[in-house]
Amino acid sequence: MFKVTIDNKSIEVEPGTTILQAARMIGGDVVPPAMCYHSELKNSGGKCRTCMVKVSQGSEKDPRPMPKLVASCSTEVMDGMVVQNITSPEVVEARKAVAEFLLINHPLDCPVCDQAGECDLQNLSYENGSNASRFEEEKRTYEKMDIGDLIQFHPNRCILCYRCVYAADQLTENRVHGVLYRGEKSEISTFIHQAIENDFSGNMIDVCPVGALTDKTFRFKNRVWFLKPMDAHRSCSKCSGKAAVWFRGDEVYRVTGRKDIYGEVHDFICNECRFEKKNSADWIIEGPRKIESYSVINQNHYKNIVIPSVINPIKETME
Amino acid sequence: MERKIILENIEIDGIRLLEVYRENGGYKSIEKALKTMTPDEVVAEVKTSGLRGRGGAGFPTGMKWSFIDKKSGNPRYLVCNADESEPGTFKDRYLLEHIPHRLIEGMICSAYALGANKAYIYVRGEFKSIIGILNEALKECYKAGLLGKNILGSGYDLDLHVHTGAGAYICGEETALLESLEGKRGNPRLKPPFPAIKGLYGCPTVVNNVETLANIGWIVNNSGEEYAKIGIGRSTGTKLISACGNINNPGVYEIELGLPVEEFIYSDKYCGGVKGGKELKAVIPGGSSVPILPKNLILNTLAGEKRLMSYESLSEGGFITGSMLGSGGFIVYDEDACIVRNTYNFSRFYHHESCGQCSPCREGTSWLESVLHRIENGQGKMKDIDLLVSIASKIEGNTICPLGDAAAWPVAAAVRHFRSEFEFHVLHPEIVKNVKHGSLEKYLEIPVLTAE
């Protein structure tokens, strides 16, 4: 067993555990946020750079600190490793930088985005972002693309976490979707604009940390914070049938996988359960789902908010 | 001081051909290494030589080789990185065009030292002619029994292949190169694991620059100790420098490390001074990704010592008053060069070449480019200059591979040393819009002239 200390809290973990996994075992504030890492998807992680931490002691044997910040999702712990997350100003600064970079081209259309309230980027920028943008250029936009009847794709909102690419690749056999082009112009796309049609395609919605992939059958029907999620199951021949069913009154608005407190789904569900079973009679209700406090809007209140000074476009030219 | 290791005999007609190359002492090292030395002895020689990676980072080659995982039992690979595409660097191209057998000789020795039976040369896609030259050279080697099964009767087998890139700068990063070699999208991998443990096809791999490998033949022939005598301090051996910009004699020069920078710029043996007798303004000593230095800091260090062409001397003073030897792309600017325009040009390059995998580099490089574009075209604001520094500092160190750093350093250094020029662009948009090149202070006098 390796002993690792994160933000002055120690834990013993198996060799091969990553820093992020160790931090999640401790829980609480020491857990770095992660946008692209998903524990159920192989090779995911390392791309968004939000989970970066400082390793101030490499290991018991070699106590030298690591020269750069490391991505906690892909760095394995060593015995005696000392890690700083929010106790390091350098980490806080870097995370703020990443939040800014992710937001410069992301449309700030949360009021009309279906993901609002359960969006990892929204949470990240609430925790680590700044109140005003320094980006004055035109935002990057893409042509609209249709990837089928069930999933709505908004490439403008995509942060290129590659999660849906891995999900499409690993959950199903017939891969039609990946990343095209390079650099700032890279985009998620299907091969010559094909529709994504397989029984598990809906899981791409669940793994998407932002509102780039949303449920067409639920679009604009309701805001998530008005809905009550219930743990429910049904017997399904294709999947585990374990899902979260979102009610308003007696009406089922949508069905999703059960996300844990880090926004990860561990039981992927099939498209039949997700898109077709929208009747409360289809489901055996287990009980209300605990609403985790990880989302700002789920809490229904904002704390520490600083209201930006009134933006007056004339003011600047007058001065 | 005239010492040639890599470019030895380059002036001989037909040295590109195996026959001529062998007549002039080529491929002797193979016989020596394969027949009289054990692989470990070759590694030991390279270690003693103090040879450092010539691709830019300057990591000791012998050390890199000793990291290779020999216990796993997996096949080992040697990969030559000939994806030279950094603006200002063209040394490998010169070497490959004129004396390809120097590389192949070095690769056979190196592959033997590493116990690799398969080696690849990853060539930049734009080097169309070189691909032909290399394939021709390999054909000759196979015919002469220098490659293939049982080389020169020593019982050692080696297959050497040329692989063509598709013209992406990022594939010069070693893990992206391996991905590309495997036939995938050229995205850099997360490290660790390093290629020495898990490289090509998940097997232990060493990736070395063309110039690094071209040195190995000489080291085997003349011993590492002899090699370590050349150069200065920990910068042993010679280095190819591709000099370009506003100088009288642009071209590729082999210099002994430790040559004073001043001599390199002004000596007729090398650059021959600044073109047209103009004043030297700035130098980028190691290819576009290293910090630019103004005249006073490139000729002398802050402490007043003469700056030498060596890894240590060029980086003295850190990034505040120093730079890096990098890949040896020596770019010289005269007094009329516009640093802002030049920085914008580099920034555009890095924006175009970012792979788009990690967010700081993907978003940051495009942001840098657009801010610089605004300043260059007379639409900048004063606060944009600080914004540039801030963006650069936020990219640096936060990315998967060094491309992010390479994009951030030149911008940060240009603002650090030539801030007044950026301010000039902001304050005099009309002049900047109409005059694309030239020392901008000169144009400050324009209003005076028109007033008359």
Side-chain angles (χ1 to χ4, degrees):
Chain A
M1 295 296 267
F2 283 173
K3 190 185 160 208
V4 50
T5 309
I6 306 171
D7 280 355
N8 305 322
K9 287 179 186 158
S10 295
I11 190 171
E12 293 216 329
V13 294
E14 296 279 342
T17 314
T18 62
I19 298 174
L20 183 71
Q21 285 163 343
R24 284 182 177 180
M25 286 175 200
I26 298 172
D29 281 347
V30 308
V31 186
M35 308 287 291
C36 68
Y37 172 79
H38 193 293
S39 56
E40 298 290 331
L41 301 174
K42 238 175 84 184
N43 298 334
S44 67
K47 296 185 168 59
C48 69
R49 317 306 282 174
T50 52
C51 69
M52 296 219 291
V53 292
K54 186 181 165 90
V55 177
S56 44
Q57 179 179 321
S59 67
E60 192 75 41
K61 274 188 213 151
D62 183 6
R64 287 177 302 170
M66 290 193 184
K68 283 183 185 178
L69 301 183
V70 297
S72 61
C73 63
S74 55
T75 309
E76 290 182 4
V77 297
M78 302 294 281
D79 197 18
M81 189 184 260
V82 179
V83 179
Q84 286 180 297
N85 180 25
I86 50 173
T87 51
S88 157
E90 212 181 316
V91 170
V92 174
E93 193 56 40
R95 203 161 285 159
K96 209 175 154 186
V98 173
E100 182 176 28
F101 283 134
L102 287 174
L103 282 169
I104 60 170
N105 277 308
H106 187 90
L108 302 177
D109 63 352
C110 304
V112 296
C113 175
D114 267 320
Q115 191 84 2
E118 50 176 14
C119 174
D120 289 355
L121 186 59
Q122 200 176 29
N123 299 341
L124 181 82
S125 66
Y126 179 71
E127 294 278 335
N128 300 290
S130 61
N131 294 319
S133 173
R134 300 188 290 168
F135 187 70
E136 294 174 9
E137 273 65 36
E138 210 169 292
K139 290 197 186 234
R140 175 180 65 219
T141 50
Y142 297 94
E143 299 266 310
K144 265 197 173 159
M145 202 174 79
D146 189 13
I147 58 164
D149 300 334
L150 300 168
I151 305 169
Q152 179 69 35
F153 179 42
H154 290 277
N156 293 352
R157 292 180 189 151
C158 177
I159 57 161
L160 285 161
C161 68
Y162 285 59
R163 272 190 194 177
C164 62
V165 177
Y166 293 122
D169 196 14
Q170 290 168 23
L171 299 182
T172 57
E173 281 168 359
N174 196 5
R175 183 179 171 195
V176 292
H177 131 278
V179 178
L180 291 186
Y181 311 120
R182 187 174 69 189
E184 188 220 16
K185 294 189 173 57
S186 46
E187 59 178 271
I188 300 287
S189 182
T190 53
F191 184 59
I192 324 186
H193 291 216
Q194 284 181 50
I196 297 176
E197 280 164 346
N198 61 59
D199 282 343
F200 287 85
S201 64
N203 289 297
M204 292 182 351
I205 301 168
D206 280 351
V207 298
C208 183
V210 292
L213 293 163
T214 49
D215 185 343
K216 268 191 183 172
T217 62
F218 173 64
R219 230 155 79 88
F220 305 137
K221 296 262 166 65
N222 224 313
R223 304 290 349 200
V224 288
W225 55 87
F226 293 140
L227 304 180
K228 195 164 172 48
M230 302 286 249
D231 276 338
H233 67 268
R234 60 183 285 272
S235 66
C236 176
S237 56
K238 290 177 193 156
C239 66
S240 66
K242 287 182 194 163
V245 181
W246 298 68
F247 285 90
R248 183 164 184 175
D250 291 334
E251 205 179 332
V252 175
Y253 272 84
R254 69 164 181 176
V255 180
T256 66
R258 293 180 188 177
K259 287 189 182 180
D260 67 8
I261 62 165
Y262 304 114
E264 289 180 3
V265 176
H266 300 286
D267 291 309
F268 292 109
I269 59 169
C270 67
N271 282 5
E272 191 188 336
C273 292
R274 183 187 301 270
F275 296 116
E276 288 164 27
K277 304 295 170 192
K278 297 244 174 140
N279 199 325
S280 57
D282 292 331
W283 296 92
I284 300 153
I285 309 293
E286 292 165 22
R289 250 186 104 63
K290 199 176 155 216
I291 298 177
E292 295 297 344
S293 59
Y294 70 87
S295 171
V296 267
I297 293 182
N298 273 345
Q299 293 179 83
N300 230 359
H301 64 270
Y302 297 90
K303 36 177 195 183
N304 304 333
I305 203 91
V306 182
I307 297 162
S309 57
V310 178
I311 299 159
N312 185 348
I314 310 165
K315 202 178 155 206
E316 213 168 88
T317 46
M318 279 166 73
E319 279 170 358
Chain B
M1 281 283 272
E2 187 82 338
R3 184 129 213 184
K4 294 258 168 90
I5 291 180
I6 301 159
L7 301 186
E8 199 188 358
N9 298 334
I10 195 141
E11 67 289 343
I12 294 171
D13 256 356
I15 194 79
R16 196 193 277 172
L17 304 171
L18 179 65
E19 203 185 330
V20 183
Y21 184 71
R22 279 190 107 167
E23 275 168 20
N24 289 285
Y27 286 105
K28 266 193 198 148
S29 65
I30 311 248
E31 289 196 27
K32 186 174 177 193
L34 265 55
K35 290 183 177 162
T36 64
M37 293 166 87
T38 65
D40 286 341
E41 277 168 11
V42 181
V43 176
E45 285 298 334
V46 174
K47 262 190 184 169
T48 348
S49 75
L51 173 67
R52 291 167 72 172
R54 300 291 194 234
F59 192 78
T61 307
M63 185 116 78
K64 193 174 191 173
W65 286 9
S66 62
F67 291 151
I68 196 162
D69 180 11
K70 290 193 169 170
K71 286 177 212 142
S72 68
N74 287 329
R76 298 188 280 274
Y77 293 101
L78 171 69
V79 178
C80 169
N81 184 348
D83 191 67
E84 175 179 63
S85 20
E86 177 133 329
T89 310
F90 44 89
K91 61 182 178 73
D92 297 343
R93 170 186 177 169
Y94 183 75
L95 197 158
L96 292 169
E97 270 175 358
H98 291 90
I99 191 158
H101 285 289
R102 184 84 73 214
L103 169 70
I104 298 169
E105 180 180 354
M107 280 191 81
I108 298 171
C109 292
S110 313
Y112 173 72
L114 295 164
N117 297 107
K118 230 175 203 146
Y120 295 90
I121 306 176
Y122 186 94
V123 190
R124 175 182 177 190
E126 283 93 336
F127 288 170
K128 282 269 182 333
S129 60
I130 291 174
I131 295 155
I133 293 170
L134 280 173
N135 276 325
E136 206 53 47
L138 287 183
K139 223 192 256 169
E140 287 178 311
C141 287
Y142 271 106
K143 233 185 196 167
L146 290 163
L147 283 172
K149 291 246 175 294
N150 194 10
I151 296 171
L152 300 175
S154 65
Y156 172 66
D157 310 332
L158 177 68
D159 276 318
L160 197 55
H161 301 279
V162 174
H163 186 95
T164 321
Y169 173 68
I170 189 65
C171 291
E173 198 277 340
E174 59 177 6
T175 52
L177 186 153
L178 296 176
E179 286 278 300
S180 171
L181 198 53
E182 288 178 14
K184 297 177 192 155
R185 188 185 162 85
N187 278 359
R189 295 176 184 166
L190 298 168
K191 286 180 268 187
F194 288 93
I197 312 295
K198 262 190 172 173
L200 188 62
Y201 306 117
C203 299
T205 307
V206 163
V207 184
N208 277 138
N209 180 259
V210 174
E211 194 191 338
T212 316
L213 291 169
N215 276 305
I216 305 295
W218 196 94
I219 292 173
V220 169
N221 277 334
N222 300 284
S223 87
E225 219 168 296
E226 280 298 309
Y227 191 87
K229 284 181 192 160
I230 312 167
I232 182 167
R234 284 179 54 231
S235 302
T236 58
T238 62
K239 173 97 185 74
L240 292 184
I241 304 285
S242 49
C244 62
N246 309 117
I247 45 172
N248 284 320
N249 313 322
V252 178
Y253 298 98
E254 181 167 7
I255 59 152
E256 183 170 341
L257 286 167
L259 183 82
V261 176
E262 197 170 355
E263 190 186 333
F264 185 69
I265 299 174
Y266 291 108
S267 163
D268 283 336
K269 236 163 65 185
Y270 304 108
C271 302
V274 181
K275 207 169 184 177
K278 286 185 192 169
E279 189 65 22
L280 173 68
K281 181 176 192 178
V283 170
I284 298 178
S288 67
S289 36
V290 311
I292 190 169
L293 286 181
K295 183 187 176 184
N296 56 339
L297 286 172
I298 187 71
L299 299 181
N300 298 300
T301 62
L302 196 64
E305 287 164 26
K306 273 210 174 316
R307 222 183 256 285
L308 311 175
M309 299 288 279
S310 74
Y311 290 98
E312 286 80 21
S313 179
L314 279 173
S315 57
E316 198 169 307
F319 276 180
I320 299 171
T321 61
S323 185
M324 275 168 83
L325 180 60
S327 56
F330 198 85
I331 313 172
V332 179
Y333 296 98
D334 68 16
E335 54 188 304
D336 285 347
C338 174
I339 299 296
V340 178
R341 185 172 178 75
N342 175 62
T343 313
Y344 162 63
N345 189 23
F346 285 161
S347 212
R348 196 176 55 180
F349 171 79
Y350 289 111
H351 169 211
H352 183 251
E353 296 296 341
S354 164
C355 81
Q357 199 183 189
C358 64
S359 28
C361 179
R362 179 182 65 233
E363 308 293 350
T365 51
S366 77
W367 197 0
L368 281 179
E369 192 214 320
S370 46
V371 174
L372 277 162
H373 181 262
R374 269 210 324 253
I375 298 178
E376 165 62 17
N377 287 294
Q379 289 158 353
K381 302 183 199 82
M382 261 323 174
K383 63 174 185 189
D384 286 341
I385 301 170
D386 285 324
L387 181 64
L388 284 177
V389 179
S390 166
I391 301 169
S393 73
K394 287 179 172 194
I395 301 173
E396 190 189 333
N398 290 344
T399 52
I400 294 176
C401 79
L403 191 133
D405 298 343
W409 290 340
V411 177
V415 177
R416 190 182 306 126
H417 298 302
F418 297 95
R419 198 183 183 99
S420 59
E421 218 165 293
F422 284 84
E423 285 169 356
F424 184 94
H425 272 71
V426 173
L427 293 172
H428 302 280
E430 279 313 310
I431 297 175
V432 170
K433 262 184 210 164
N434 299 324
V435 185
K436 284 300 178 196
H437 291 281
S439 174
L440 294 165
E441 275 85 3
K442 282 184 192 171
Y443 298 99
L444 270 176
E445 291 162 17
I446 289 174
V448 184
L449 287 171
T450 47
E452 283 172 1

PDB file of all heavy atoms in Angstrom, chain B residues 246-258:
ATOM      1  N   ASN B 246      18.816  38.322 -41.639  1.00  0.00           N
ATOM      2  CA  ASN B 246      19.531  39.413 -42.314  1.00  0.00           C
ATOM      3  C   ASN B 246      21.036  39.276 -42.154  1.00  0.00           C
ATOM      4  O   ASN B 246      21.680  40.077 -41.495  1.00  0.00           O
ATOM      5  CB  ASN B 246      19.060  40.757 -41.754  1.00  0.00           C
ATOM      6  CG  ASN B 246      17.546  40.871 -41.775  1.00  0.00           C
ATOM      7  OD1 ASN B 246      16.902  40.989 -40.755  1.00  0.00           O
ATOM      8  ND2 ASN B 246      16.983  40.805 -42.955  1.00  0.00           N
ATOM      9  N   ILE B 247      21.615  38.247 -42.750  1.00  0.00           N
ATOM     10  CA  ILE B 247      23.073  38.088 -42.675  1.00  0.00           C
ATOM     11  C   ILE B 247      23.622  37.907 -44.082  1.00  0.00           C
ATOM     12  O   ILE B 247      22.882  37.587 -45.018  1.00  0.00           O
ATOM     13  CB  ILE B 247      23.468  36.880 -41.802  1.00  0.00           C
ATOM     14  CG1 ILE B 247      22.605  35.657 -42.141  1.00  0.00           C
ATOM     15  CG2 ILE B 247      23.392  37.227 -40.343  1.00  0.00           C
ATOM     16  CD1 ILE B 247      23.045  34.393 -41.476  1.00  0.00           C
ATOM     17  N   ASN B 248      24.930  38.066 -44.194  1.00  0.00           N
ATOM     18  CA  ASN B 248      25.539  37.979 -45.519  1.00  0.00           C
ATOM     19  C   ASN B 248      25.630  36.551 -46.043  1.00  0.00           C
ATOM     20  O   ASN B 248      25.465  36.318 -47.232  1.00  0.00           O
ATOM     21  CB  ASN B 248      26.927  38.615 -45.492  1.00  0.00           C
ATOM     22  CG  ASN B 248      26.822  40.122 -45.476  1.00  0.00           C
ATOM     23  OD1 ASN B 248      25.978  40.698 -46.160  1.00  0.00           O
ATOM     24  ND2 ASN B 248      27.650  40.776 -44.679  1.00  0.00           N
ATOM     25  N   ASN B 249      25.950  35.603 -45.158  1.00  0.00           N
ATOM     26  CA  ASN B 249      26.100  34.225 -45.629  1.00  0.00           C
ATOM     27  C   ASN B 249      25.155  33.273 -44.902  1.00  0.00           C
ATOM     28  O   ASN B 249      25.576  32.568 -43.996  1.00  0.00           O
ATOM     29  CB  ASN B 249      27.534  33.713 -45.406  1.00  0.00           C
ATOM     30  CG  ASN B 249      28.564  34.704 -45.857  1.00  0.00           C
ATOM     31  OD1 ASN B 249      28.393  35.385 -46.867  1.00  0.00           O
ATOM     32  ND2 ASN B 249      29.654  34.809 -45.102  1.00  0.00           N
ATOM     33  N   PRO B 250      23.896  33.252 -45.260  1.00  0.00           N
ATOM     34  CA  PRO B 250      23.015  32.282 -44.604  1.00  0.00           C
ATOM     35  C   PRO B 250      23.394  30.866 -45.027  1.00  0.00           C
ATOM     36  O   PRO B 250      23.897  30.665 -46.127  1.00  0.00           O
ATOM     37  CB  PRO B 250      21.623  32.663 -45.101  1.00  0.00           C
ATOM     38  CG  PRO B 250      21.823  33.460 -46.323  1.00  0.00           C
ATOM     39  CD  PRO B 250      23.195  34.048 -46.267  1.00  0.00           C
ATOM     40  N   GLY B 251      23.151  29.899 -44.157  1.00  0.00           N
ATOM     41  CA  GLY B 251      23.476  28.524 -44.510  1.00  0.00           C
ATOM     42  C   GLY B 251      23.667  27.671 -43.276  1.00  0.00           C
ATOM     43  O   GLY B 251      23.431  28.121 -42.154  1.00  0.00           O
ATOM     44  N   VAL B 252      24.074  26.422 -43.506  1.00  0.00           N
ATOM     45  CA  VAL B 252      24.284  25.502 -42.392  1.00  0.00           C
ATOM     46  C   VAL B 252      25.776  25.444 -42.080  1.00  0.00           C
ATOM     47  O   VAL B 252      26.586  25.241 -42.974  1.00  0.00           O
ATOM     48  CB  VAL B 252      23.747  24.104 -42.733  1.00  0.00           C
ATOM     49  CG1 VAL B 252      24.018  23.140 -41.591  1.00  0.00           C
ATOM     50  CG2 VAL B 252      22.271  24.164 -43.022  1.00  0.00           C
ATOM     51  N   TYR B 253      26.117  25.645 -40.814  1.00  0.00           N
ATOM     52  CA  TYR B 253      27.508  25.612 -40.391  1.00  0.00           C
ATOM     53  C   TYR B 253      27.673  24.597 -39.287  1.00  0.00           C
ATOM     54  O   TYR B 253      26.823  24.489 -38.413  1.00  0.00           O
ATOM     55  CB  TYR B 253      27.930  26.988 -39.867  1.00  0.00           C
ATOM     56  CG  TYR B 253      27.838  28.068 -40.915  1.00  0.00           C
ATOM     57  CD1 TYR B 253      26.728  28.910 -40.975  1.00  0.00           C
ATOM     58  CD2 TYR B 253      28.843  28.229 -41.862  1.00  0.00           C
ATOM     59  CE1 TYR B 253      26.627  29.883 -41.944  1.00  0.00           C
ATOM     60  CE2 TYR B 253      28.756  29.202 -42.837  1.00  0.00           C
ATOM     61  CZ  TYR B 253      27.653  30.028 -42.881  1.00  0.00           C
ATOM     62  OH  TYR B 253      27.552  30.989 -43.839  1.00  0.00           O
ATOM     63  N   GLU B 254      28.785  23.869 -39.351  1.00  0.00           N
ATOM     64  CA  GLU B 254      29.101  23.013 -38.212  1.00  0.00           C
ATOM     65  C   GLU B 254      30.107  23.761 -37.358  1.00  0.00           C
ATOM     66  O   GLU B 254      31.184  24.128 -37.820  1.00  0.00           O
ATOM     67  CB  GLU B 254      29.693  21.686 -38.677  1.00  0.00           C
ATOM     68  CG  GLU B 254      30.003  20.785 -37.499  1.00  0.00           C
ATOM     69  CD  GLU B 254      30.284  19.352 -37.898  1.00  0.00           C
ATOM     70  OE1 GLU B 254      30.365  19.077 -39.105  1.00  0.00           O
ATOM     71  OE2 GLU B 254      30.421  18.521 -36.989  1.00  0.00           O
ATOM     72  N   ILE B 255      29.727  24.006 -36.108  1.00  0.00           N
ATOM     73  CA  ILE B 255      30.636  24.741 -35.231  1.00  0.00           C
ATOM     74  C   ILE B 255      30.987  23.874 -34.036  1.00  0.00           C
ATOM     75  O   ILE B 255      30.235  22.975 -33.655  1.00  0.00           O
ATOM     76  CB  ILE B 255      30.001  26.049 -34.715  1.00  0.00           C
ATOM     77  CG1 ILE B 255      28.711  25.744 -33.952  1.00  0.00           C
ATOM     78  CG2 ILE B 255      29.748  27.021 -35.837  1.00  0.00           C
ATOM     79  CD1 ILE B 255      28.397  26.742 -32.900  1.00  0.00           C
ATOM     80  N   GLU B 256      32.132  24.141 -33.469  1.00  0.00           N
ATOM     81  CA  GLU B 256      32.472  23.487 -32.214  1.00  0.00           C
ATOM     82  C   GLU B 256      31.736  24.250 -31.122  1.00  0.00           C
ATOM     83  O   GLU B 256      31.785  25.477 -31.080  1.00  0.00           O
ATOM     84  CB  GLU B 256      33.987  23.543 -32.005  1.00  0.00           C
ATOM     85  CG  GLU B 256      34.407  22.822 -30.746  1.00  0.00           C
ATOM     86  CD  GLU B 256      35.918  22.663 -30.641  1.00  0.00           C
ATOM     87  OE1 GLU B 256      36.607  22.776 -31.667  1.00  0.00           O
ATOM     88  OE2 GLU B 256      36.391  22.441 -29.529  1.00  0.00           O
ATOM     89  N   LEU B 257      31.054  23.558 -30.261  1.00  0.00           N
ATOM     90  CA  LEU B 257      30.314  24.244 -29.198  1.00  0.00           C
ATOM     91  C   LEU B 257      31.298  25.043 -28.351  1.00  0.00           C
ATOM     92  O   LEU B 257      32.380  24.560 -28.019  1.00  0.00           O
ATOM     93  CB  LEU B 257      29.542  23.238 -28.354  1.00  0.00           C
ATOM     94  CG  LEU B 257      28.302  22.669 -29.056  1.00  0.00           C
ATOM     95  CD1 LEU B 257      27.770  21.464 -28.318  1.00  0.00           C
ATOM     96  CD2 LEU B 257      27.214  23.709 -29.187  1.00  0.00           C
ATOM     97  N   GLY B 258      30.914  26.255 -28.026  1.00  0.00           N
ATOM     98  CA  GLY B 258      31.824  27.117 -27.279  1.00  0.00           C
ATOM     99  C   GLY B 258      32.329  28.282 -28.099  1.00  0.00           C
ATOM    100  O   GLY B 258      33.045  29.143 -27.603  1.00  0.00           O
TER     101      GLY B 258
END
